[in-house]
Amino acid sequence: MAVSLVETDCGLALLRLLSRGHAVVAELQRCSETLPAAIRGEGEVAKRLSPVLPDFAVFRREGAVEKVAGTPELIELDEESREINADPAERLFRVLSAIRKYFADLAKLLEDIDVGVFVGQSHESILRDSAGAVLLPEAIALLGTMILIVDERISGPCRERALVLFYRCTAGTSRESDDFADVCRLFKSTARPERDIELAGRRPGYPESYFARFPLHEDAVRLVLGKLQTGDIYEASRHYPLPEHRSHGLSAQAGMLYVLLFFQAKTLESDAIAMREIVDRHFGDVWVVAYALGYTADLLLMWAPYPAARQALSNAITAGTVRQLQDQHLDRLSKTRSKLEEYLVEGVLTEDYVSSKVSQLVSVLREANTSIRWLLLQPTTLDSKIQVVCNSSAKMKEQLLGTLVDTALLEDKIKAILVPLVARRDADWARQKEEAAQAMDDLAVFFSGQHALRRNVRNSELEEFFRNLQQRIEELSFQTQEDLLALGRKVGQINKALEEVALFHEVSQQPQILHFLSDARQLLQRMLRTASLSSDVLETIETVADLSYAWRALSTYKEAMGNLLSASPDSVKGLRALFLKLASILEAPLRRIRQAGNSSHASLVSGYYSNRLVEFMRSVLQEIPCLIFRLLGQLSTLESAQLPKSLPSRISLVELQSYAEKCEKASSEVGILTQRIALLMRGIRETDVALLGAVLVDPRAVLLDGLRREAARRIESLLASLCWPSASSRQDAEAPLQQMAAQAFKLRRSFEHVQDYLGVSAQQLWRQEFGRVVRYLLHMEEHLLLRRRPAPPESSPHHDASVPIKFPDISNGPLGCSFISRTLSMLSELTDPKSTSGGFHHDWRKCDSSGVGTLDSLLLELLMEAMGPPGIAAISRMLALRAAGRVRKAVSGCAVLLANAEVQQLAAKAKSSLQTTRSAAEVQAALERLRLSVESRARPPRGTRVQPDTYGDVLASFLPCPAHCLEICERAWIAGCWAKAVLDNRVQELSGAEDHSLIGPSHIVSVPAVEEGDTGEDAPAGFEIQVLLVDVEEGVLPYMSAFDPVTESELVVGFEPEASHVLPASEELMRQALLWVGSDLAPGLAYVTAQEEPEADLGAQAKRAARPKRVTTAQLAEQVNQLASLLPGLVDQVRVLSERQAQQQQASPGQGPGPSHQQDFPLVPQASASPAAPFAALASGLPAPARLGAMPKPGPAPTAQQTAAAAQPSASQASSDPLATAIAQQGQALSLLVSHLAAQGDALDLASTTPGLASKGSAKRERLQQELMQRSSNFFLQVCQNAFKKLHPASPLPATLAEMKDDGRMSFVTYMERFGGYGKSRDLALVMHQLSFVADCLLREDVPGAREHLALLLASTEQAAQDQNWQLAFLLCLLEEPSPQVYASRPSGSASRLRAFTPLVSPNWGSTVLSFVREVDALAQRRKDAVNPRAPTADTPDEAAAAPKRRPRFPRKPKDNGQ
């Protein structure tokens, strides 16, 4: 007994190969549909990212790959490109690599068959087998199909860009592929033209040169071509017996032949005999061939460059034959449609009718499908001469679509009847045979005379006759082929006997017996038809009804399908049958996958094609929601459909009659439109649930989804129509809002009117879609504002691929990208400060004499009615973002504007005008002059350090200053003066705010600047900064919040523009604040009770409250130098102050200075009554000298008499000259300080910066240990964040581990492979490699995985300790060898000297460790000095031991002992 090929190893190998190939084809199509526009080279994003998406030309230049992102701008573009295109590029590479593997496996299989690896199998024997003759050509043709689809769906430049990007993203990592070079060689660009119409004039060598990259066994290809040329591998003649249907029966075989001929291009070029035979047999009446699932090829274009093929095809295909074929198929189509309409009449198709007319029904289906196939495919030709003949008109398309729908509906009904009949054939046969035998038994009993009702009809001959017939019926069978052949003859003999017995006199005289015999004969005929039923009939119907060739051709018939639905709502059932007919595309790939038994491939292939089929079904049925909304639009515009006005209390009979007629007319019009909507819904409701491939589709759910999509489109069009070309007046702003509000209200009301017929909640659906559209537009506007480029639609969580929302919308241009930006522009124009005045508590009105209102609560209510809460919320958020952006620009550019002398002068004049006149007109004039002056400046002042484009951005960011609100102007200018004083480095007191204001008095102080050192402590920065102290009320607390360094880092403004990281010294700042609060410079700050207490020394209190730092000798030396340099200036300043004080006392002895904001700008601080007070405060602020080491004994202290004698001259001078007294006191302070420093002796080193003993490092380390013990620390999160910042520096930092997990991009293995750094520690690299897997498992909350990796790490570490190496131990961890990049040395950046630790170490931990180490070293050194004080230390080296010996000036002469 012969064994089928599918049961052998060779057959199983072919089946597995075909299963994988069909899965690759499905994934290839899915990948081509999801490629980003940048890789495809389409749109503006492709032009912008083109510098970082090169093609294979970059591989031809040495070092060009590394220089792709060589500048900061290109690095930013590259990061954006990787974020968008890296995953699609990797997916495309995996698909191309799978095609390469399929080719390699197929070539290896053909070689194995040739060399005899499969015993008893050869190429000839496989093609002789019925299964092998199908599998081997399919395997080779599937490779050619992949090649052609790749080149058609993904162009050559697109493939090259994706492969280069994949190489740049994976080179040196674990994702690097070994077959990258082979993939690049196979799939580099080809000579295929961009447009299909140019295929006839393509460059020579395509596609045979492309196919030559995939060489296969030449003899195997030739044998397969010969089999396809002469044989019928699918045995299609069983289903297409007529010769006129031969090309249709061989269509699948012809598609494979078209692909395989490119592997043997010599046949196309020169073998005229073979090509004539191929054309006559396969392409005699067709020239557009379907070679894959929905992919077609025009032979008139593809075979034009080949002489033999072109000649053979031109002999068969001419304009005359094409016209004759078209007329023949159109005539056959019209005749077939009339038959289809007869069969589709309700009640015609019954089980008996179908089983009796099955051959006629199959013949009609065959005629219809062959004509439909020809008329669908052949007119799609791109040949200009044939297009003139085969021009498809709209009427022809409607006729063809109607026949196609009727054919699909008839096929669906016939299969619904035949499938159960075939399934229960044996049971029906047994039941019918039993009924026929029982009928013969009843007749025999009747003529036996033993019947209870008729005892006088006994006839023994008839009784015996019917007994014999009963026995013969019981012996009928069709189990074997012989029984089946004899069954018809036996049943015919029994029927003939029954017809003859009916002629007997005794039988013919009894009508009931005649009727009984007729039923018996029908029962026997039904038995014969039941036995004739077989699965071959269903197979023929499936083969004839195949529509996979029209997968892409039917896309041009969507409009015709929509017109069909509009004309006949009941056609939904026919279209459902058409979609089920289209599901035949799944049969070819799934048949081989099922035979191979690969369920994963089955789910992948069926999922892709089923989803595509469902999408096509949704796109066609979307016409019903569109038609429903068009009817709703007509319903909303009917004046008669609106609510009638209320009748007056008294009405005449004529008016009442007119009112009744109007209501009757309105009811009639509304009823007609509502009935049409109800008919559409009836077609949907009566349609059954359909299984399209692997997806179960409910038409009602499809309708609801379609209504949602159409509602979104209508909402989008309403919002897009909202625009204001000019909003200079209130009427201009109201008109579009009123129109939109009216349209939306009418549409919603009409929707509510028919919601019961639709079975949906109109209000809920409308609100959901309106909110989704608005949130999507808001997301795109925010991205455009913050990122300066439009976001891809897929990035929005509110994006629906089936209902794409346009951004910018149809009103794009100078009016705005969406209704949000246009509404903001309208509101800004209505509230322009140049021409309007108003506020939040008042209406906005024109500033001219008319005083017409522009914005009030009524307009805001209209805005709310038109846009709803989602629109108002979106406008508010967008307005806040714009304001925040302008404020940030203004703050960052204040230094540029205020540094100009002209701007300062104009600001002072405006401030003076504000203080003196309090006139809004004059203030407006001053502010307008200031604005014009600023705008007239094209460049910042010479010498000013400005970032590029900063000055223009700052000018653009300033809005015109308001002139309608005096209070706002006053506070704004006070804040501007404060900022100006700080930026100009002028110590200026600006106080005098009104008592009812939240902002009270202010004071500017100079405080030493500090910055965070390497150890985490505050280190002096070497200069002072200006700090503004402001007294505010508690009412500002609700407006303050905690600072978030992650999300609000850009909002911080530093104390120093050039060094934003420096901060004021906290202790000194607190001391200065306390001094200011307690002094007379800030009246009204102190809390006064009924009984005043004696004033205390605030300076001393501040010193006791604030714990001062230990002062070093270097700081003392620096202070001495500063004091010495200040003495000449102090003398001059004190003299000037004294003279000015005297003049002011003479001019106005009883009048004190006013508030600071009412004084002339700039203003020098007013001197106090006692000139010595500032120097006393300065002396009190000096820190006490530090005690360093062992101090020498001071000299003898002066006696009391000497001190008194020294003080007498000072006293006398104080009584005569205050200036002399102040200088004397300052000299005494300096003398004491210098004497103290001199008393230090040699033990004092002014250049030493050795820190004193402290315990901050130990305290911080103990606190970290406590957090670790209590499990309240977040070390793992900080390490993950540090690694994430290195991997993705341009992405926002996740704040929690959950966000890190959801992001999905964080991987310690990737971090280790990218940055390496283990070149000198290979053993530690292996340990870190295993720990990275443990950390990744913990990050993904995969505790079992982390536990397993950790157990292997413990075992391998112990083994490594025993072996003293990791050669054997690393194998125990069951991991692959780390990437070579891990062992590369980590490159040092420009700021590497500032990094004492690795990127994974948090600065807080590093500073704690360094502080702890320094404290331990200091304690050890102190202990060593205490035990052996004479021993030299590192700080005080032994100069004698360290100094080198001086070389002799001249060499010694040798002694002359002899002379």
Side-chain angles (χ1 to χ4, degrees), residues 1199-1210:
T1199 62
Q1201 292 80 4
Q1202 294 175 351
T1203 305
Q1208 286 178 0
S1210 299

Side-chain angles (χ1 to χ4, degrees), residues 37 70 104 448 729 733 952 1302:
S448 65
S729 64
D1302 295 339

Side-chain angles (χ1 to χ4, degrees), residues 385-456:
K385 297 180 180 178
I386 304 300
Q387 278 183 339
V388 175
V389 181
C390 292
N391 187 16
S392 299
S393 61
K395 183 178 180 181
M396 174 183 165
K397 283 188 174 182
E398 292 180 1
Q399 182 182 2
L400 180 60
L401 180 62
T403 306
L404 179 59
V405 170
D406 292 343
T407 304
L409 194 57
L410 180 61
E411 290 169 357
D412 184 56
K413 290 186 176 182
I414 290 175
K415 287 189 290 186
I417 295 174
L418 281 180
V419 170
L421 287 177
V422 173
R424 66 172 191 264
R425 182 182 63 167
D426 295 341
D428 290 346
W429 166 267
R431 179 179 53 80
Q432 293 167 2
K433 185 175 69 171
E434 183 180 357
E435 291 177 359
Q438 184 64 38
M440 296 300 101
D441 182 70
D442 293 341
L443 289 173
V445 171
F446 181 81
F447 287 103
S448 65
Q450 299 177 0
H451 199 273
L453 300 178
R454 301 297 296 272
R455 297 182 181 275
N456 56 349

Side-chain angles (χ1 to χ4, degrees), residues 719-720 722-725 727 737 773-774 776-785 806-830 863 867 870-882 886:
L719 295 177
L722 189 62
C723 60
W724 294 269
L737 291 175
V773 173
V774 170
Y776 173 82
L777 295 175
L778 176 61
H779 174 86
M780 302 300 287
E781 289 274 11
E782 289 177 348
H783 195 283
L784 183 62
L785 177 66
K806 294 181 181 179
F807 183 84
D809 56 18
I810 57 176
S811 300
N812 184 30
L815 301 178
C817 294
S818 70
F819 83 99
I820 300 176
S821 56
R822 293 193 294 271
T823 306
L824 288 180
S825 301
M826 181 269 293
L827 294 176
S828 300
E829 189 172 356
L830 289 179
L863 195 67
M867 301 180 181
I872 297 298
I875 293 174
S876 301
R877 180 171 176 82
M878 196 63 191
L879 184 61
L881 287 176
R882 284 190 177 184
R886 291 179 180 271

Side-chain angles (χ1 to χ4, degrees), residues 409-718:
L409 194 57
L410 180 61
E411 290 169 357
D412 184 56
K413 290 186 176 182
I414 290 175
K415 287 189 290 186
I417 295 174
L418 281 180
V419 170
L421 287 177
V422 173
R424 66 172 191 264
R425 182 182 63 167
D426 295 341
D428 290 346
W429 166 267
R431 179 179 53 80
Q432 293 167 2
K433 185 175 69 171
E434 183 180 357
E435 291 177 359
Q438 184 64 38
M440 296 300 101
D441 182 70
D442 293 341
L443 289 173
V445 171
F446 181 81
F447 287 103
S448 65
Q450 299 177 0
H451 199 273
L453 300 178
R454 301 297 296 272
R455 297 182 181 275
N456 56 349
V457 294
R458 178 176 176 80
N459 190 330
S460 58
E461 294 180 357
L462 290 177
E463 177 186 1
E464 184 180 358
F465 174 77
F466 286 115
R467 291 293 180 189
N468 292 334
L469 290 181
Q470 178 184 2
Q471 184 179 359
R472 292 178 64 181
I473 291 175
E474 290 177 349
E475 293 175 355
L476 293 177
S477 176
F478 64 94
Q479 298 301 325
T480 63
Q481 186 67 22
E482 296 178 357
D483 294 339
L484 185 60
L485 294 176
L487 181 62
R489 176 175 50 82
K490 293 179 179 179
V491 172
Q493 292 176 356
I494 296 174
N495 279 328
K496 186 176 181 180
L498 292 177
E499 292 175 358
E500 292 177 353
V501 76
L503 300 177
F504 288 2
H505 178 71
E506 295 183 8
V507 176
S508 61
Q509 297 300 321
Q510 301 185 33
Q512 68 274 18
I513 299 300
L514 293 176
H515 183 73
F516 205 82
L517 290 175
S518 177
D519 291 343
R521 288 196 302 269
Q522 293 179 5
L523 192 59
L524 288 173
Q525 292 295 333
R526 196 179 303 119
M527 288 175 59
L528 190 59
R529 290 194 300 266
T530 301
S532 301
L533 294 175
S534 65
S535 58
D536 294 340
V537 179
L538 295 177
E539 184 181 354
T540 300
I541 294 177
E542 291 289 346
T543 304
V544 169
D546 178 48
L547 198 61
S548 60
Y549 62 88
W551 179 258
R552 303 176 70 186
L554 277 179
S555 59
T556 59
Y557 283 79
K558 287 185 180 181
E559 183 179 356
M561 293 180 186
N563 297 334
L564 181 63
L565 285 173
S566 302
S568 175
D570 293 335
S571 59
V572 176
K573 297 180 181 179
L575 289 178
R576 172 186 174 274
L578 175 60
F579 299 139
L580 291 175
K581 184 179 175 69
L582 269 176
S584 59
I585 192 174
L586 292 169
E587 295 300 323
L590 288 181
R591 185 184 304 117
R592 305 307 174 202
I593 293 175
R594 292 193 193 101
Q595 290 177 342
N598 195 319
S599 59
S600 61
H601 290 168
S603 62
L604 190 148
V605 172
S606 62
Y608 170 73
Y609 289 109
S610 300
N611 291 331
R612 289 291 309 278
L613 191 57
V614 171
E615 290 177 6
F616 181 73
M617 176 182 177
R618 290 179 184 276
S619 63
V620 172
L621 293 183
Q622 186 65 27
E623 181 62 25
I624 294 180
C626 294
L627 182 58
I628 290 175
F629 269 87
R630 283 200 294 269
L631 295 175
L632 290 178
Q634 298 178 14
L635 193 61
S636 63
T637 56
L638 287 177
E639 183 180 357
S640 56
Q642 306 301 323
L643 288 176
K645 299 180 180 179
S646 58
L647 293 175
S649 58
R650 299 183 64 182
I651 186 172
S652 63
L653 183 61
V654 177
E655 293 177 352
L656 181 61
Q657 184 177 1
S658 175
Y659 178 81
E661 292 177 355
K662 182 179 179 181
C663 291
E664 184 179 357
K665 180 182 178 181
S667 300
S668 176
E669 294 177 350
V670 172
I672 292 174
L673 295 177
T674 306
Q675 183 189 18
R676 293 190 62 186
I677 295 176
L679 289 176
L680 290 173
M681 283 305 304
R682 188 185 68 179
I684 288 291
R685 292 179 183 276
E686 293 179 355
T687 305
D688 298 330
V689 177
L691 182 63
L692 296 182
V695 180
L696 190 65
V697 180
D698 186 2
R700 288 172 287 276
V702 173
L703 173 67
L704 179 59
D705 190 46
L707 290 173
R708 195 178 301 278
R709 296 179 182 182
E710 189 61 26
R713 288 196 182 97
R714 294 301 177 115
I715 293 170
E716 180 190 0
S717 63
L718 282 177

Side-chain angles (χ1 to χ4, degrees), residues 1285-1451:
K1285 287 188 291 186
K1286 288 290 292 181
L1287 287 172
H1288 311 285
S1291 301
L1293 186 66
T1296 61
L1297 290 175
E1299 295 180 6
M1300 193 85 64
K1301 176 187 174 184
D1302 295 339
D1303 184 90
R1305 293 183 295 171
M1306 176 56 205
S1307 173
F1308 284 95
V1309 177
T1310 305
Y1311 170 82
M1312 184 179 176
E1313 292 175 347
R1314 179 175 297 183
F1315 298 104
Y1318 295 87
K1320 300 179 181 179
S1321 305
R1322 300 182 69 86
D1323 293 346
L1324 292 179
L1326 299 178
V1327 177
M1328 186 64 178
H1329 186 58
Q1330 300 176 66
L1331 288 175
S1332 299
F1333 279 92
V1334 176
D1336 286 346
C1337 291
L1338 293 176
L1339 186 59
R1340 296 191 299 268
E1341 297 182 0
D1342 183 11
V1343 178
R1347 188 164 51 231
E1348 297 302 319
H1349 280 294
L1350 193 58
L1352 295 176
L1353 175 59
L1354 293 173
S1356 58
T1357 304
E1358 186 178 17
Q1359 184 66 31
Q1362 178 179 338
D1363 300 342
Q1364 298 298 319
N1365 60 70
W1366 276 85
Q1367 295 180 359
L1368 177 62
F1370 184 72
L1371 299 177
L1372 296 176
C1373 67
L1374 306 179
L1375 296 177
E1376 298 294 334
E1377 184 72 19
S1379 175
Q1381 187 69 21
V1382 174
Y1383 301 112
S1385 299
R1386 182 171 296 171
S1388 58
S1390 60
S1392 59
R1393 65 184 185 88
L1394 302 178
R1395 290 189 175 273
F1397 294 92
T1398 63
L1400 292 184
V1401 179
S1402 179
N1404 185 23
W1405 311 344
S1407 62
T1408 302
V1409 171
L1410 289 179
S1411 300
F1412 179 73
V1413 172
R1414 179 176 296 182
E1415 292 168 9
V1416 172
D1417 292 343
L1419 287 173
Q1421 186 63 41
R1422 290 295 179 87
R1423 182 179 179 278
K1424 183 177 180 180
D1425 293 343
V1427 174
N1428 189 11
R1430 295 184 180 181
T1433 62
D1435 296 335
T1436 59
D1438 189 358
E1439 297 180 359
K1445 294 183 179 181
R1446 187 167 60 90
R1447 296 179 57 188
R1449 186 172 183 181
F1450 298 102

Side-chain angles (χ1 to χ4, degrees), residues 881-902:
L881 287 176
R882 284 190 177 184
R886 291 179 180 271
V887 169
R888 183 170 59 186
K889 283 185 178 181
V891 170
S892 62
C894 280
V896 178
L897 292 177
L898 296 179
N900 180 255
E902 182 181 359

Side-chain angles (χ1 to χ4, degrees), residues 126 331 394 688 771 1006 1008 1021 1036 1044 1095 1347 1353 1394 1456:
I126 291 175
D331 182 63
D688 298 330
S1006 297
V1036 302
D1044 187 357
E1095 294 185 359
R1347 188 164 51 231
L1353 175 59
L1394 302 178
D1456 190 1

